[in-house]
PDB file of all heavy atoms in Angstrom:
ATOM      1  N   LEU A   1       0.851  -1.179   0.000  1.00  0.00           N
ATOM      2  CA  LEU A   1       0.000   0.000   0.000  1.00  0.00           C
ATOM      3  C   LEU A   1       0.891   1.235   0.000  1.00  0.00           C
ATOM      4  O   LEU A   1       1.747   1.386   0.870  1.00  0.00           O
ATOM      5  CB  LEU A   1      -0.895  -0.013   1.239  1.00  0.00           C
ATOM      6  CG  LEU A   1      -2.000   1.038   1.300  1.00  0.00           C
ATOM      7  CD1 LEU A   1      -3.038   0.794   0.222  1.00  0.00           C
ATOM      8  CD2 LEU A   1      -2.660   1.021   2.675  1.00  0.00           C
ATOM      9  N   THR A   2       0.704   2.118  -0.958  1.00  0.00           N
ATOM     10  CA  THR A   2       1.581   3.283  -1.093  1.00  0.00           C
ATOM     11  C   THR A   2       0.837   4.591  -0.910  1.00  0.00           C
ATOM     12  O   THR A   2       1.387   5.656  -1.183  1.00  0.00           O
ATOM     13  CB  THR A   2       2.264   3.278  -2.473  1.00  0.00           C
ATOM     14  OG1 THR A   2       1.255   3.260  -3.496  1.00  0.00           O
ATOM     15  CG2 THR A   2       3.168   2.063  -2.636  1.00  0.00           C
ATOM     16  N   THR A   3      -0.411   4.530  -0.456  1.00  0.00           N
ATOM     17  CA  THR A   3      -1.215   5.742  -0.317  1.00  0.00           C
ATOM     18  C   THR A   3      -2.304   5.524   0.719  1.00  0.00           C
ATOM     19  O   THR A   3      -2.726   4.392   0.951  1.00  0.00           O
ATOM     20  CB  THR A   3      -1.851   6.120  -1.668  1.00  0.00           C
ATOM     21  OG1 THR A   3      -2.724   7.240  -1.495  1.00  0.00           O
ATOM     22  CG2 THR A   3      -2.647   4.967  -2.253  1.00  0.00           C
ATOM     23  N   ARG A   4      -2.755   6.618   1.338  1.00  0.00           N
ATOM     24  CA  ARG A   4      -3.904   6.548   2.235  1.00  0.00           C
ATOM     25  C   ARG A   4      -5.215   6.731   1.479  1.00  0.00           C
ATOM     26  O   ARG A   4      -6.287   6.693   2.078  1.00  0.00           O
ATOM     27  CB  ARG A   4      -3.791   7.625   3.316  1.00  0.00           C
ATOM     28  CG  ARG A   4      -2.708   7.379   4.355  1.00  0.00           C
ATOM     29  CD  ARG A   4      -3.052   6.246   5.266  1.00  0.00           C
ATOM     30  NE  ARG A   4      -2.051   6.088   6.336  1.00  0.00           N
ATOM     31  CZ  ARG A   4      -1.956   5.029   7.100  1.00  0.00           C
ATOM     32  NH1 ARG A   4      -2.780   4.010   6.926  1.00  0.00           N
ATOM     33  NH2 ARG A   4      -1.039   4.954   8.042  1.00  0.00           N
ATOM     34  N   ASP A   5      -5.131   6.928   0.167  1.00  0.00           N
ATOM     35  CA  ASP A   5      -6.340   7.058  -0.655  1.00  0.00           C
ATOM     36  C   ASP A   5      -6.178   6.209  -1.914  1.00  0.00           C
ATOM     37  O   ASP A   5      -5.715   6.685  -2.949  1.00  0.00           O
ATOM     38  CB  ASP A   5      -6.593   8.517  -1.032  1.00  0.00           C
ATOM     39  CG  ASP A   5      -7.942   8.712  -1.728  1.00  0.00           C
ATOM     40  OD1 ASP A   5      -8.589   7.687  -2.075  1.00  0.00           O
ATOM     41  OD2 ASP A   5      -8.344   9.866  -1.925  1.00  0.00           O
ATOM     42  N   PRO A   6      -6.529   4.923  -1.846  1.00  0.00           N
ATOM     43  CA  PRO A   6      -6.308   4.015  -2.973  1.00  0.00           C
ATOM     44  C   PRO A   6      -7.449   3.986  -3.989  1.00  0.00           C
ATOM     45  O   PRO A   6      -7.536   3.058  -4.798  1.00  0.00           O
ATOM     46  CB  PRO A   6      -6.182   2.655  -2.271  1.00  0.00           C
ATOM     47  CG  PRO A   6      -7.103   2.774  -1.098  1.00  0.00           C
ATOM     48  CD  PRO A   6      -7.051   4.214  -0.669  1.00  0.00           C
ATOM     49  N   ARG A   7      -8.316   4.986  -3.974  1.00  0.00           N
ATOM     50  CA  ARG A   7      -9.475   4.945  -4.866  1.00  0.00           C
ATOM     51  C   ARG A   7      -9.093   4.938  -6.340  1.00  0.00           C
ATOM     52  O   ARG A   7      -9.768   4.315  -7.164  1.00  0.00           O
ATOM     53  CB  ARG A   7     -10.422   6.105  -4.546  1.00  0.00           C
ATOM     54  CG  ARG A   7     -11.239   5.879  -3.282  1.00  0.00           C
ATOM     55  CD  ARG A   7     -12.133   7.048  -2.942  1.00  0.00           C
ATOM     56  NE  ARG A   7     -11.369   8.196  -2.444  1.00  0.00           N
ATOM     57  CZ  ARG A   7     -11.928   9.302  -1.974  1.00  0.00           C
ATOM     58  NH1 ARG A   7     -13.252   9.426  -1.948  1.00  0.00           N
ATOM     59  NH2 ARG A   7     -11.182  10.290  -1.515  1.00  0.00           N
ATOM     60  N   ARG A   8      -8.008   5.617  -6.690  1.00  0.00           N
ATOM     61  CA  ARG A   8      -7.602   5.614  -8.101  1.00  0.00           C
ATOM     62  C   ARG A   8      -7.207   4.201  -8.537  1.00  0.00           C
ATOM     63  O   ARG A   8      -7.558   3.758  -9.638  1.00  0.00           O
ATOM     64  CB  ARG A   8      -6.433   6.576  -8.311  1.00  0.00           C
ATOM     65  CG  ARG A   8      -5.952   6.635  -9.772  1.00  0.00           C
ATOM     66  CD  ARG A   8      -4.783   7.581  -9.950  1.00  0.00           C
ATOM     67  NE  ARG A   8      -3.637   7.163  -9.164  1.00  0.00           N
ATOM     68  CZ  ARG A   8      -2.772   6.228  -9.540  1.00  0.00           C
ATOM     69  NH1 ARG A   8      -2.949   5.590 -10.697  1.00  0.00           N
ATOM     70  NH2 ARG A   8      -1.743   5.917  -8.784  1.00  0.00           N
ATOM     71  N   LEU A   9      -6.492   3.475  -7.685  1.00  0.00           N
ATOM     72  CA  LEU A   9      -6.085   2.109  -8.003  1.00  0.00           C
ATOM     73  C   LEU A   9      -7.295   1.204  -8.171  1.00  0.00           C
ATOM     74  O   LEU A   9      -7.333   0.334  -9.046  1.00  0.00           O
ATOM     75  CB  LEU A   9      -5.174   1.560  -6.904  1.00  0.00           C
ATOM     76  CG  LEU A   9      -3.858   2.298  -6.674  1.00  0.00           C
ATOM     77  CD1 LEU A   9      -3.143   1.731  -5.442  1.00  0.00           C
ATOM     78  CD2 LEU A   9      -2.962   2.197  -7.905  1.00  0.00           C
ATOM     79  N   LEU A  10      -8.299   1.413  -7.331  1.00  0.00           N
ATOM     80  CA  LEU A  10      -9.526   0.621  -7.434  1.00  0.00           C
ATOM     81  C   LEU A  10     -10.312   0.992  -8.682  1.00  0.00           C
ATOM     82  O   LEU A  10     -10.870   0.126  -9.366  1.00  0.00           O
ATOM     83  CB  LEU A  10     -10.387   0.831  -6.193  1.00  0.00           C
ATOM     84  CG  LEU A  10      -9.813   0.262  -4.890  1.00  0.00           C
ATOM     85  CD1 LEU A  10     -10.515   0.883  -3.690  1.00  0.00           C
ATOM     86  CD2 LEU A  10      -9.933  -1.255  -4.863  1.00  0.00           C
ATOM     87  N   ASP A  11     -10.361   2.266  -8.996  1.00  0.00           N
ATOM     88  CA  ASP A  11     -11.098   2.731 -10.163  1.00  0.00           C
ATOM     89  C   ASP A  11     -10.462   2.216 -11.446  1.00  0.00           C
ATOM     90  O   ASP A  11     -11.161   1.810 -12.383  1.00  0.00           O
ATOM     91  CB  ASP A  11     -11.143   4.261 -10.168  1.00  0.00           C
ATOM     92  CG  ASP A  11     -12.056   4.807 -11.255  1.00  0.00           C
ATOM     93  OD1 ASP A  11     -13.164   4.264 -11.424  1.00  0.00           O
ATOM     94  OD2 ASP A  11     -11.668   5.762 -11.943  1.00  0.00           O
ATOM     95  N   GLU A  12      -9.128   2.191 -11.485  1.00  0.00           N
ATOM     96  CA  GLU A  12      -8.422   1.708 -12.672  1.00  0.00           C
ATOM     97  C   GLU A  12      -8.431   0.185 -12.751  1.00  0.00           C
ATOM     98  O   GLU A  12      -8.090  -0.376 -13.798  1.00  0.00           O
ATOM     99  CB  GLU A  12      -6.975   2.201 -12.658  1.00  0.00           C
ATOM    100  CG  GLU A  12      -6.835   3.710 -12.828  1.00  0.00           C
ATOM    101  CD  GLU A  12      -5.402   4.181 -12.683  1.00  0.00           C
ATOM    102  OE1 GLU A  12      -4.538   3.341 -12.312  1.00  0.00           O
ATOM    103  OE2 GLU A  12      -5.133   5.363 -12.943  1.00  0.00           O
ATOM    104  N   GLY A  13      -8.798  -0.471 -11.674  1.00  0.00           N
ATOM    105  CA  GLY A  13      -8.810  -1.929 -11.667  1.00  0.00           C
ATOM    106  C   GLY A  13      -7.455  -2.545 -11.415  1.00  0.00           C
ATOM    107  O   GLY A  13      -7.273  -3.745 -11.602  1.00  0.00           O
ATOM    108  N   THR A  14      -6.487  -1.749 -10.965  1.00  0.00           N
ATOM    109  CA  THR A  14      -5.162  -2.275 -10.659  1.00  0.00           C
ATOM    110  C   THR A  14      -5.237  -3.269  -9.506  1.00  0.00           C
ATOM    111  O   THR A  14      -4.480  -4.235  -9.455  1.00  0.00           O
ATOM    112  CB  THR A  14      -4.202  -1.124 -10.297  1.00  0.00           C
ATOM    113  OG1 THR A  14      -4.180  -0.183 -11.374  1.00  0.00           O
ATOM    114  CG2 THR A  14      -2.794  -1.643 -10.044  1.00  0.00           C
ATOM    115  N   ILE A  15      -6.149  -3.018  -8.571  1.00  0.00           N
ATOM    116  CA  ILE A  15      -6.351  -3.915  -7.429  1.00  0.00           C
ATOM    117  C   ILE A  15      -7.841  -4.213  -7.289  1.00  0.00           C
ATOM    118  O   ILE A  15      -8.691  -3.441  -7.741  1.00  0.00           O
ATOM    119  CB  ILE A  15      -5.810  -3.314  -6.121  1.00  0.00           C
ATOM    120  CG1 ILE A  15      -6.482  -1.968  -5.822  1.00  0.00           C
ATOM    121  CG2 ILE A  15      -4.297  -3.169  -6.180  1.00  0.00           C
ATOM    122  CD1 ILE A  15      -6.077  -1.349  -4.494  1.00  0.00           C
ATOM    123  N   ASP A  16      -8.147  -5.338  -6.662  1.00  0.00           N
ATOM    124  CA  ASP A  16      -9.540  -5.703  -6.396  1.00  0.00           C
ATOM    125  C   ASP A  16     -10.021  -5.150  -5.063  1.00  0.00           C
ATOM    126  O   ASP A  16     -11.215  -4.875  -4.887  1.00  0.00           O
ATOM    127  CB  ASP A  16      -9.684  -7.236  -6.374  1.00  0.00           C
ATOM    128  CG  ASP A  16      -9.378  -7.863  -7.712  1.00  0.00           C
ATOM    129  OD1 ASP A  16     -10.069  -7.527  -8.689  1.00  0.00           O
ATOM    130  OD2 ASP A  16      -8.430  -8.676  -7.782  1.00  0.00           O
ATOM    131  N   LEU A  17      -9.095  -4.988  -4.125  1.00  0.00           N
ATOM    132  CA  LEU A  17      -9.470  -4.613  -2.771  1.00  0.00           C
ATOM    133  C   LEU A  17      -8.278  -3.935  -2.113  1.00  0.00           C
ATOM    134  O   LEU A  17      -7.138  -4.369  -2.283  1.00  0.00           O
ATOM    135  CB  LEU A  17      -9.851  -5.875  -1.978  1.00  0.00           C
ATOM    136  CG  LEU A  17     -10.698  -5.747  -0.724  1.00  0.00           C
ATOM    137  CD1 LEU A  17     -12.106  -5.281  -1.069  1.00  0.00           C
ATOM    138  CD2 LEU A  17     -10.771  -7.099  -0.011  1.00  0.00           C
ATOM    139  N   ALA A  18      -8.554  -2.871  -1.375  1.00  0.00           N
ATOM    140  CA  ALA A  18      -7.524  -2.224  -0.567  1.00  0.00           C
ATOM    141  C   ALA A  18      -7.893  -2.402   0.892  1.00  0.00           C
ATOM    142  O   ALA A  18      -9.069  -2.344   1.256  1.00  0.00           O
ATOM    143  CB  ALA A  18      -7.413  -0.744  -0.911  1.00  0.00           C
ATOM    144  N   VAL A  19      -6.901  -2.626   1.724  1.00  0.00           N
ATOM    145  CA  VAL A  19      -7.137  -2.826   3.149  1.00  0.00           C
ATOM    146  C   VAL A  19      -6.193  -1.918   3.921  1.00  0.00           C
ATOM    147  O   VAL A  19      -4.979  -1.950   3.701  1.00  0.00           O
ATOM    148  CB  VAL A  19      -6.908  -4.293   3.566  1.00  0.00           C
ATOM    149  CG1 VAL A  19      -7.256  -4.486   5.036  1.00  0.00           C
ATOM    150  CG2 VAL A  19      -7.715  -5.240   2.699  1.00  0.00           C
ATOM    151  N   GLY A  20      -6.749  -1.097   4.807  1.00  0.00           N
ATOM    152  CA  GLY A  20      -5.887  -0.212   5.570  1.00  0.00           C
ATOM    153  C   GLY A  20      -6.670   0.801   6.373  1.00  0.00           C
ATOM    154  O   GLY A  20      -7.894   0.709   6.534  1.00  0.00           O
ATOM    155  N   PHE A  21      -5.948   1.801   6.861  1.00  0.00           N
ATOM    156  CA  PHE A  21      -6.493   2.883   7.666  1.00  0.00           C
ATOM    157  C   PHE A  21      -6.705   4.070   6.744  1.00  0.00           C
ATOM    158  O   PHE A  21      -5.753   4.742   6.350  1.00  0.00           O
ATOM    159  CB  PHE A  21      -5.501   3.208   8.793  1.00  0.00           C
ATOM    160  CG  PHE A  21      -5.937   4.313   9.711  1.00  0.00           C
ATOM    161  CD1 PHE A  21      -7.250   4.431  10.149  1.00  0.00           C
ATOM    162  CD2 PHE A  21      -5.012   5.239  10.179  1.00  0.00           C
ATOM    163  CE1 PHE A  21      -7.639   5.446  11.010  1.00  0.00           C
ATOM    164  CE2 PHE A  21      -5.378   6.248  11.044  1.00  0.00           C
ATOM    165  CZ  PHE A  21      -6.695   6.346  11.454  1.00  0.00           C
ATOM    166  N   PHE A  22      -7.975   4.322   6.362  1.00  0.00           N
ATOM    167  CA  PHE A  22      -8.303   5.343   5.364  1.00  0.00           C
ATOM    168  C   PHE A  22      -9.299   6.358   5.946  1.00  0.00           C
ATOM    169  O   PHE A  22     -10.436   6.457   5.469  1.00  0.00           O
ATOM    170  CB  PHE A  22      -8.908   4.696   4.111  1.00  0.00           C
ATOM    171  CG  PHE A  22      -8.126   3.543   3.552  1.00  0.00           C
ATOM    172  CD1 PHE A  22      -8.735   2.301   3.350  1.00  0.00           C
ATOM    173  CD2 PHE A  22      -6.800   3.680   3.200  1.00  0.00           C
ATOM    174  CE1 PHE A  22      -8.033   1.237   2.821  1.00  0.00           C
ATOM    175  CE2 PHE A  22      -6.077   2.620   2.671  1.00  0.00           C
ATOM    176  CZ  PHE A  22      -6.688   1.396   2.476  1.00  0.00           C
ATOM    177  N   PRO A  23      -8.931   7.083   6.980  1.00  0.00           N
ATOM    178  CA  PRO A  23      -9.914   7.950   7.647  1.00  0.00           C
ATOM    179  C   PRO A  23     -10.515   9.014   6.743  1.00  0.00           C
ATOM    180  O   PRO A  23     -11.725   9.278   6.801  1.00  0.00           O
ATOM    181  CB  PRO A  23      -9.105   8.568   8.800  1.00  0.00           C
ATOM    182  CG  PRO A  23      -7.675   8.409   8.412  1.00  0.00           C
ATOM    183  CD  PRO A  23      -7.611   7.137   7.625  1.00  0.00           C
ATOM    184  N   ALA A  24      -9.694   9.650   5.901  1.00  0.00           N
ATOM    185  CA  ALA A  24     -10.216  10.708   5.032  1.00  0.00           C
ATOM    186  C   ALA A  24     -11.157  10.138   3.978  1.00  0.00           C
ATOM    187  O   ALA A  24     -12.190  10.743   3.649  1.00  0.00           O
ATOM    188  CB  ALA A  24      -9.057  11.459   4.361  1.00  0.00           C
ATOM    189  N   VAL A  25     -10.825   8.968   3.438  1.00  0.00           N
ATOM    190  CA  VAL A  25     -11.669   8.331   2.427  1.00  0.00           C
ATOM    191  C   VAL A  25     -13.019   7.937   3.033  1.00  0.00           C
ATOM    192  O   VAL A  25     -14.077   8.195   2.448  1.00  0.00           O
ATOM    193  CB  VAL A  25     -10.974   7.092   1.835  1.00  0.00           C
ATOM    194  CG1 VAL A  25     -11.923   6.345   0.880  1.00  0.00           C
ATOM    195  CG2 VAL A  25      -9.697   7.483   1.108  1.00  0.00           C
ATOM    196  N   VAL A  26     -12.994   7.312   4.207  1.00  0.00           N
ATOM    197  CA  VAL A  26     -14.237   6.883   4.848  1.00  0.00           C
ATOM    198  C   VAL A  26     -15.106   8.087   5.186  1.00  0.00           C
ATOM    199  O   VAL A  26     -16.340   8.060   5.006  1.00  0.00           O
ATOM    200  CB  VAL A  26     -13.927   6.051   6.108  1.00  0.00           C
ATOM    201  CG1 VAL A  26     -15.197   5.781   6.907  1.00  0.00           C
ATOM    202  CG2 VAL A  26     -13.270   4.733   5.713  1.00  0.00           C
ATOM    203  N   ALA A  27     -14.501   9.175   5.657  1.00  0.00           N
ATOM    204  CA  ALA A  27     -15.263  10.385   5.960  1.00  0.00           C
ATOM    205  C   ALA A  27     -15.906  10.945   4.698  1.00  0.00           C
ATOM    206  O   ALA A  27     -17.071  11.379   4.708  1.00  0.00           O
ATOM    207  CB  ALA A  27     -14.344  11.432   6.593  1.00  0.00           C
ATOM    208  N   ASP A  28     -15.168  10.919   3.585  1.00  0.00           N
ATOM    209  CA  ASP A  28     -15.700  11.416   2.325  1.00  0.00           C
ATOM    210  C   ASP A  28     -16.865  10.551   1.837  1.00  0.00           C
ATOM    211  O   ASP A  28     -17.905  11.065   1.399  1.00  0.00           O
ATOM    212  CB  ASP A  28     -14.581  11.448   1.279  1.00  0.00           C
ATOM    213  CG  ASP A  28     -15.004  12.110  -0.027  1.00  0.00           C
ATOM    214  OD1 ASP A  28     -15.833  13.052   0.024  1.00  0.00           O
ATOM    215  OD2 ASP A  28     -14.518  11.697  -1.090  1.00  0.00           O
ATOM    216  N   LEU A  29     -16.720   9.229   1.922  1.00  0.00           N
ATOM    217  CA  LEU A  29     -17.784   8.327   1.483  1.00  0.00           C
ATOM    218  C   LEU A  29     -19.024   8.469   2.367  1.00  0.00           C
ATOM    219  O   LEU A  29     -20.153   8.393   1.873  1.00  0.00           O
ATOM    220  CB  LEU A  29     -17.286   6.882   1.497  1.00  0.00           C
ATOM    221  CG  LEU A  29     -16.160   6.540   0.525  1.00  0.00           C
ATOM    222  CD1 LEU A  29     -15.767   5.080   0.661  1.00  0.00           C
ATOM    223  CD2 LEU A  29     -16.560   6.847  -0.917  1.00  0.00           C
ATOM    224  N   THR A  30     -18.817   8.679   3.666  1.00  0.00           N
ATOM    225  CA  THR A  30     -19.940   8.876   4.581  1.00  0.00           C
ATOM    226  C   THR A  30     -20.701  10.149   4.225  1.00  0.00           C
ATOM    227  O   THR A  30     -21.939  10.175   4.210  1.00  0.00           O
ATOM    228  CB  THR A  30     -19.440   8.945   6.032  1.00  0.00           C
ATOM    229  OG1 THR A  30     -18.761   7.723   6.347  1.00  0.00           O
ATOM    230  CG2 THR A  30     -20.602   9.143   6.996  1.00  0.00           C
ATOM    231  N   ALA A  31     -19.952  11.209   3.912  1.00  0.00           N
ATOM    232  CA  ALA A  31     -20.584  12.475   3.527  1.00  0.00           C
ATOM    233  C   ALA A  31     -21.367  12.317   2.229  1.00  0.00           C
ATOM    234  O   ALA A  31     -22.473  12.848   2.084  1.00  0.00           O
ATOM    235  CB  ALA A  31     -19.527  13.562   3.384  1.00  0.00           C
ATOM    236  N   GLN A  32     -20.811  11.577   1.272  1.00  0.00           N
ATOM    237  CA  GLN A  32     -21.512  11.345   0.012  1.00  0.00           C
ATOM    238  C   GLN A  32     -22.802  10.566   0.243  1.00  0.00           C
ATOM    239  O   GLN A  32     -23.832  10.868  -0.354  1.00  0.00           O
ATOM    240  CB  GLN A  32     -20.605  10.585  -0.957  1.00  0.00           C
ATOM    241  CG  GLN A  32     -19.415  11.373  -1.479  1.00  0.00           C
ATOM    242  CD  GLN A  32     -18.558  10.543  -2.427  1.00  0.00           C
ATOM    243  OE1 GLN A  32     -19.067   9.740  -3.203  1.00  0.00           O
ATOM    244  NE2 GLN A  32     -17.257  10.730  -2.357  1.00  0.00           N
ATOM    245  N   ALA A  33     -22.720   9.551   1.095  1.00  0.00           N
ATOM    246  CA  ALA A  33     -23.909   8.731   1.374  1.00  0.00           C
ATOM    247  C   ALA A  33     -25.005   9.545   2.045  1.00  0.00           C
ATOM    248  O   ALA A  33     -26.200   9.351   1.781  1.00  0.00           O
ATOM    249  CB  ALA A  33     -23.524   7.542   2.242  1.00  0.00           C
ATOM    250  N   GLN A  34     -24.612  10.468   2.911  1.00  0.00           N
ATOM    251  CA  GLN A  34     -25.585  11.301   3.602  1.00  0.00           C
ATOM    252  C   GLN A  34     -26.160  12.389   2.697  1.00  0.00           C
ATOM    253  O   GLN A  34     -27.249  12.900   2.949  1.00  0.00           O
ATOM    254  CB  GLN A  34     -24.942  11.935   4.831  1.00  0.00           C
ATOM    255  CG  GLN A  34     -24.591  10.932   5.913  1.00  0.00           C
ATOM    256  CD  GLN A  34     -23.807  11.542   7.053  1.00  0.00           C
ATOM    257  OE1 GLN A  34     -23.307  12.670   6.943  1.00  0.00           O
ATOM    258  NE2 GLN A  34     -23.694  10.808   8.156  1.00  0.00           N
ATOM    259  N   GLY A  35     -25.408  12.711   1.643  1.00  0.00           N
ATOM    260  CA  GLY A  35     -25.869  13.728   0.707  1.00  0.00           C
ATOM    261  C   GLY A  35     -26.688  13.129  -0.415  1.00  0.00           C
ATOM    262  O   GLY A  35     -27.908  12.967  -0.319  1.00  0.00           O
ATOM    263  N   SER A  36     -26.002  12.727  -1.481  1.00  0.00           N
ATOM    264  CA  SER A  36     -26.688  12.181  -2.652  1.00  0.00           C
ATOM    265  C   SER A  36     -27.107  10.735  -2.460  1.00  0.00           C
ATOM    266  O   SER A  36     -27.978  10.227  -3.165  1.00  0.00           O
ATOM    267  CB  SER A  36     -25.774  12.274  -3.877  1.00  0.00           C
ATOM    268  OG  SER A  36     -24.628  11.446  -3.714  1.00  0.00           O
ATOM    269  N   GLY A  37     -26.452  10.058  -1.517  1.00  0.00           N
ATOM    270  CA  GLY A  37     -26.733   8.640  -1.348  1.00  0.00           C
ATOM    271  C   GLY A  37     -25.991   7.776  -2.344  1.00  0.00           C
ATOM    272  O   GLY A  37     -26.093   6.558  -2.321  1.00  0.00           O
ATOM    273  N   LEU A  38     -25.206   8.400  -3.227  1.00  0.00           N
ATOM    274  CA  LEU A  38     -24.467   7.671  -4.256  1.00  0.00           C
ATOM    275  C   LEU A  38     -22.974   7.796  -3.991  1.00  0.00           C
ATOM    276  O   LEU A  38     -22.457   8.886  -3.764  1.00  0.00           O
ATOM    277  CB  LEU A  38     -24.789   8.226  -5.643  1.00  0.00           C
ATOM    278  CG  LEU A  38     -26.253   8.145  -6.083  1.00  0.00           C
ATOM    279  CD1 LEU A  38     -26.439   8.860  -7.420  1.00  0.00           C
ATOM    280  CD2 LEU A  38     -26.700   6.691  -6.183  1.00  0.00           C
ATOM    281  N   ALA A  39     -22.278   6.698  -3.985  1.00  0.00           N
ATOM    282  CA  ALA A  39     -20.830   6.696  -3.820  1.00  0.00           C
ATOM    283  C   ALA A  39     -20.256   5.616  -4.727  1.00  0.00           C
ATOM    284  O   ALA A  39     -20.861   4.552  -4.905  1.00  0.00           O
ATOM    285  CB  ALA A  39     -20.440   6.448  -2.369  1.00  0.00           C
ATOM    286  N   ALA A  40     -19.100   5.901  -5.295  1.00  0.00           N
ATOM    287  CA  ALA A  40     -18.489   4.955  -6.232  1.00  0.00           C
ATOM    288  C   ALA A  40     -17.750   3.841  -5.519  1.00  0.00           C
ATOM    289  O   ALA A  40     -17.330   2.875  -6.154  1.00  0.00           O
ATOM    290  CB  ALA A  40     -17.534   5.698  -7.169  1.00  0.00           C
ATOM    291  N   PHE A  41     -17.594   3.948  -4.189  1.00  0.00           N
ATOM    292  CA  PHE A  41     -16.820   2.964  -3.446  1.00  0.00           C
ATOM    293  C   PHE A  41     -17.578   2.549  -2.192  1.00  0.00           C
ATOM    294  O   PHE A  41     -18.369   3.309  -1.641  1.00  0.00           O
ATOM    295  CB  PHE A  41     -15.448   3.541  -3.057  1.00  0.00           C
ATOM    296  CG  PHE A  41     -14.633   3.991  -4.237  1.00  0.00           C
ATOM    297  CD1 PHE A  41     -14.769   5.285  -4.726  1.00  0.00           C
ATOM    298  CD2 PHE A  41     -13.762   3.131  -4.868  1.00  0.00           C
ATOM    299  CE1 PHE A  41     -14.038   5.704  -5.825  1.00  0.00           C
ATOM    300  CE2 PHE A  41     -13.033   3.538  -5.966  1.00  0.00           C
ATOM    301  CZ  PHE A  41     -13.173   4.822  -6.444  1.00  0.00           C
ATOM    302  N   ASN A  42     -17.283   1.331  -1.738  1.00  0.00           N
ATOM    303  CA  ASN A  42     -17.878   0.809  -0.516  1.00  0.00           C
ATOM    304  C   ASN A  42     -16.768   0.365   0.428  1.00  0.00           C
ATOM    305  O   ASN A  42     -15.630   0.106  -0.012  1.00  0.00           O
ATOM    306  CB  ASN A  42     -18.800  -0.371  -0.826  1.00  0.00           C
ATOM    307  CG  ASN A  42     -19.981   0.039  -1.671  1.00  0.00           C
ATOM    308  OD1 ASN A  42     -20.607   1.062  -1.404  1.00  0.00           O
ATOM    309  ND2 ASN A  42     -20.291  -0.731  -2.697  1.00  0.00           N
ATOM    310  N   HIS A  43     -17.098   0.239   1.704  1.00  0.00           N
ATOM    311  CA  HIS A  43     -16.075  -0.150   2.676  1.00  0.00           C
ATOM    312  C   HIS A  43     -16.709  -0.963   3.792  1.00  0.00           C
ATOM    313  O   HIS A  43     -17.923  -0.928   4.012  1.00  0.00           O
ATOM    314  CB  HIS A  43     -15.363   1.087   3.241  1.00  0.00           C
ATOM    315  CG  HIS A  43     -16.266   2.008   4.008  1.00  0.00           C
ATOM    316  ND1 HIS A  43     -16.385   1.972   5.384  1.00  0.00           N
ATOM    317  CD2 HIS A  43     -17.109   2.995   3.588  1.00  0.00           C
ATOM    318  CE1 HIS A  43     -17.241   2.892   5.771  1.00  0.00           C
ATOM    319  NE2 HIS A  43     -17.706   3.538   4.713  1.00  0.00           N
ATOM    320  N   GLN A  44     -15.856  -1.694   4.507  1.00  0.00           N
ATOM    321  CA  GLN A  44     -16.293  -2.510   5.645  1.00  0.00           C
ATOM    322  C   GLN A  44     -15.178  -2.516   6.684  1.00  0.00           C
ATOM    323  O   GLN A  44     -14.010  -2.744   6.346  1.00  0.00           O
ATOM    324  CB  GLN A  44     -16.587  -3.942   5.215  1.00  0.00           C
ATOM    325  CG  GLN A  44     -17.043  -4.861   6.355  1.00  0.00           C
ATOM    326  CD  GLN A  44     -17.306  -6.275   5.880  1.00  0.00           C
ATOM    327  OE1 GLN A  44     -16.589  -6.797   5.039  1.00  0.00           O
ATOM    328  NE2 GLN A  44     -18.341  -6.900   6.421  1.00  0.00           N
ATOM    329  N   ARG A  45     -15.526  -2.261   7.936  1.00  0.00           N
ATOM    330  CA  ARG A  45     -14.515  -2.283   8.991  1.00  0.00           C
ATOM    331  C   ARG A  45     -14.152  -3.718   9.330  1.00  0.00           C
ATOM    332  O   ARG A  45     -15.020  -4.569   9.525  1.00  0.00           O
ATOM    333  CB  ARG A  45     -15.023  -1.563  10.239  1.00  0.00           C
ATOM    334  CG  ARG A  45     -13.978  -1.491  11.364  1.00  0.00           C
ATOM    335  CD  ARG A  45     -14.382  -0.505  12.436  1.00  0.00           C
ATOM    336  NE  ARG A  45     -14.547   0.831  11.869  1.00  0.00           N
ATOM    337  CZ  ARG A  45     -14.977   1.876  12.559  1.00  0.00           C
ATOM    338  NH1 ARG A  45     -15.297   1.734  13.841  1.00  0.00           N
ATOM    339  NH2 ARG A  45     -15.098   3.057  11.991  1.00  0.00           N
TER     340      ARG A  45
END
């Protein structure tokens, strides 16, 4: 893992799954879900 935001790698299909501590990404996805309800990524603790 070379970044705290692996969304580009997931979007490009370079990896199937990223595992790590992604506080900024999770906060962003939570905000998107509370707003539009649409997010391009999902996560599980």
Side-chain angles (χ1 to χ4, degrees):
L1 189 66
T2 57
T3 175
R4 289 289 185 194
D5 188 350
R7 284 178 288 186
R8 180 181 61 82
L9 298 173
L10 292 163
D11 188 44
E12 293 175 353
T14 304
I15 58 176
D16 296 300
L17 200 67
V19 184
F21 180 41
F22 310 125
V25 174
V26 171
D28 187 33
L29 295 180
T30 301
Q32 291 180 37
Q34 292 173 347
S36 65
L38 299 174
F41 302 88
N42 296 315
H43 63 96
Q44 180 181 38
R45 183 166 301 176

